[in-house]
Amino acid sequence: MDPKSSSTEISVEFPTIFRIYKDGRVERLKGTETVPPSTDPETGVRSKDIVLSPESGLSARIFLPKLTDPTRKLPLLVFIHGGAFVIESPYSPLYHNHAALLTSEANVVVLSVNYRRAPEHPLPAAYEDSWEALQWAAAHSNRNGPETWLNDYVDFDRVFVGGDSAGATLTHHVVHRAGIHGLSGAKIVGMILFHPFFGNGKPDKLLEVVFPACNGLDDPRVNPGKDPKLREIGCGRVLIFVAEKDFLRDRAWAYYEALKKSGWGGMVEILESEGEDHVFHLFNPSCDKAVGLVKKVVSFINHKPKL
């Protein structure tokens, strides 16, 4: 076979997302643009890039709000980006801007995780990276970790984990894992799922490509509503966002119902954005419904339980 033909012949393609060529080369069709860390002149939010594991290459972008009282400890939001497990990163404009907005509005430190992406690193690599990032952050509770912003400014009794789409899948996994195995040094107060990408018990072409080791359609890593241990989720509050026109809408509602019936003792709330599609808030953050979504996240993070 002509080697030139194999380099241009497509083996697998997901239109608008990525394609794999027969020679193994991967081409991402969007979500490759990046922006550097910065200081926002309007909000005062600062960001920087950090390496969590030189061995695996696991890294993150961390965001710090403008400090009015440097002695006050702030909540931590570990954020896990979406993109079908394949595209986007914490460094893309969409996710940099979203994390900076949440940092400013909620007055929270955000650790945005740069997990290894499929198909070069098939799942469950992203699951393991997300769990490692959460453990890495929690290890700073002794105030002697490698990242000074976590040592100096985070209240480790107020940790949240959130993510959108595929990142919400990973978010559920790490919070559930913390419930089963524990998380030394930190207390996860709440979980935020933006338009989660959960399985629905039907064949999924994307998952077949990015997760060849999946244990079937009801593998709890992709279809957590079918997990007999769902009740062991490791936080007391869950906030789920869905969008009316999102093809994943019904899966999130099914997860919500399963969680309520699981025997888990926490509080779960689900909010649906009428007339909107998947992760609309990333693409149009200034629209009324996106502003309302962020306000709900701010309220969720800064909620103070009645004594």
Side-chain angles (χ1 to χ4, degrees):
M1 179 185 288
D2 183 350
K4 289 185 179 179
S5 66
S6 66
S7 67
T8 58
E9 199 171 343
I10 296 171
S11 174
V12 178
E13 181 172 21
F14 292 87
T16 77
I17 304 177
F18 73 108
R19 59 173 66 108
I20 304 174
Y21 292 89
K22 287 202 170 177
D23 64 357
R25 181 168 55 92
V26 176
E27 181 183 9
R28 289 175 171 83
L29 304 177
K30 64 180 179 181
T32 59
E33 185 183 354
T34 62
V35 293
S38 59
T39 298
D40 188 302
E42 291 186 12
T43 64
V45 170
R46 290 181 282 164
S47 59
K48 61 181 176 179
D49 295 340
I50 53 178
V51 176
L52 280 57
S53 171
E55 294 77 22
S56 68
L58 176 62
S59 61
R61 178 164 289 179
I62 188 169
F63 296 79
L64 185 71
K66 184 176 181 180
L67 300 171
T68 55
D69 178 3
T71 65
R72 179 187 172 193
K73 297 296 187 279
L74 305 173
L76 171 67
L77 171 61
V78 177
F79 185 83
I80 309 174
H81 73 85
F85 305 104
V86 175
I87 60 172
E88 303 290 356
S89 75
Y91 319 128
S92 67
L94 277 181
Y95 286 104
H96 174 91
N97 293 338
H98 182 56
L101 177 65
L102 294 177
T103 302
S104 173
E105 293 295 317
N107 198 34
V108 61
V109 178
V110 173
L111 182 73
S112 187
V113 181
N114 188 35
Y115 56 83
R116 288 171 293 172
R117 298 177 302 181
E120 297 94 337
H121 302 281
L123 298 174
Y127 290 92
E128 298 304 324
D129 285 353
S130 300
W131 174 242
E132 183 178 352
L134 181 60
Q135 289 182 302
W136 181 90
H140 287 72
S141 61
N142 63 8
R143 308 296 173 187
N144 194 32
E147 175 45 54
T148 56
W149 286 0
L150 295 181
N151 291 334
D152 295 345
Y153 304 120
V154 167
D155 178 355
F156 288 95
D157 285 328
R158 290 192 294 159
V159 174
F160 296 81
V161 186
D164 69 288
S165 196
T169 315
L170 299 170
T171 294
H172 163 83
H173 173 78
V174 297
V175 176
H176 189 249
R177 193 164 172 176
I180 293 175
H181 300 294
L183 181 67
S184 179
K187 179 182 178 182
I188 302 176
V189 176
M191 176 172 72
I192 308 167
L193 305 177
F194 302 87
H195 307 169
F197 171 31
F198 292 143
N200 61 352
K202 297 178 182 179
D204 188 301
K205 248 336 198 197
L206 175 66
L207 288 174
E208 289 174 11
V209 172
V210 301
F211 199 176
C214 183
N215 295 323
L217 301 177
D218 289 336
D219 187 321
R221 291 173 292 184
V222 296
N223 195 359
K226 295 293 186 180
D227 188 349
K229 296 183 178 180
L230 180 60
R231 67 188 303 273
E232 296 185 52
I233 196 165
C235 66
R237 297 166 55 224
V238 174
L239 177 61
I240 307 169
F241 292 102
V242 297
E244 182 185 17
K245 294 183 178 180
D246 187 357
F247 79 101
L248 298 171
R249 170 191 177 275
D250 293 347
R251 307 182 193 191
W253 274 102
Y255 172 87
Y256 166 75
E257 295 294 344
L259 186 57
K260 286 201 302 180
K261 296 174 183 175
S262 69
W264 171 67
M267 304 258 317
V268 57
E269 184 177 2
I270 188 166
L271 296 174
E272 181 166 329
S273 301
E274 295 181 2
E276 299 294 349
D277 212 329
H278 191 59
V279 296
F280 73 94
H281 58 285
L282 297 179
F283 298 99
N284 192 8
S286 60
C287 75
D288 289 346
K289 289 174 183 173
V291 171
L293 180 152
V294 170
K295 285 182 178 178
K296 183 64 182 179
V297 172
V298 171
S299 174
F300 183 78
I301 290 176
N302 290 291
H303 168 77
K304 293 183 179 178
K306 295 179 181 178
L307 299 176

